[in-house]
Amino acid sequence: APMPLYMVTRTSSALNTSNDSITLVASGTKPLRVYLVDGKGMGTTSAANEVAVARSTGGTTGGGGIKPAPINSGSGAASFNAYTTWSAQPTLGAVVWRAGINANGGIDKFVAIPGAEIQVPVSGQISIRSISGTSNVTWNVLVEEVDG
């Protein structure tokens, strides 16, 4: 049976090179697979932004939680967390994908080919954070929560 899929969305907000836009934190019992990371520039003038999707560790007191929306209305609530704030930010590790998103309506997305989803282990994290640029971006992240 297919595992439950969830969409994590964040409305237009400014990128910050010191703070994650979204951090996905897997529960202590279920790993995650990330199928889609979609960023859309929401500005009206051109500006370049480079955003990393990276493995991360640590971070204290995650907040600004986004409730993952089940794709199938029959799915239960997600057990993973999606944060937009931290009292101390996670430390970035290996970058698994880099997005180039122009502020003026630019769109860049990671779309996994079958078998090449971004794997997040139990209790693991993925951070989405600007490497350069502070434009406003809207996010959609499609996440599968794997049972067991």
Side-chain angles (χ1 to χ4, degrees):
M3 305 294 175
L5 290 166
Y6 299 90
M7 190 65 77
V8 174
T9 68
R10 183 166 185 192
T11 192
S12 181
S13 53
L15 296 172
N16 184 315
T17 58
S18 302
N19 301 307
D20 288 1
S21 292
I22 297 174
T23 314
L24 300 177
V25 182
S27 75
T29 58
K30 296 178 181 179
L32 306 175
R33 291 186 191 111
V34 179
Y35 287 88
L36 170 78
V37 179
D38 174 47
K40 296 177 176 67
M42 299 301 286
T44 56
T45 57
S46 182
N49 299 276
E50 180 184 350
V51 180
V53 178
R55 299 199 180 281
S56 63
T57 55
T60 51
T61 320
I66 298 170
K67 184 177 180 181
I71 296 299
N72 180 331
S73 61
S75 293
S79 66
F80 69 94
N81 289 300
Y83 297 119
T84 60
T85 62
W86 293 88
S87 57
Q89 290 290 316
T91 300
L92 297 185
V95 175
V96 294
W97 186 68
R98 290 181 190 272
I101 303 170
N102 191 289
N104 189 16
I107 298 171
D108 198 349
K109 63 179 72 178
F110 165 84
V111 181
I113 61 171
E117 304 86 6
I118 298 169
Q119 308 282 333
V120 184
V122 165
S123 302
Q125 297 178 181
I126 289 286
S127 291
I128 300 172
R129 186 184 303 172
S130 178
I131 300 303
S132 64
T134 56
S135 300
N136 277 26
V137 174
T138 292
W139 294 101
N140 297 289
V141 183
L142 182 63
V143 181
E144 177 185 40
E145 190 163 56
V146 183
D147 287 333

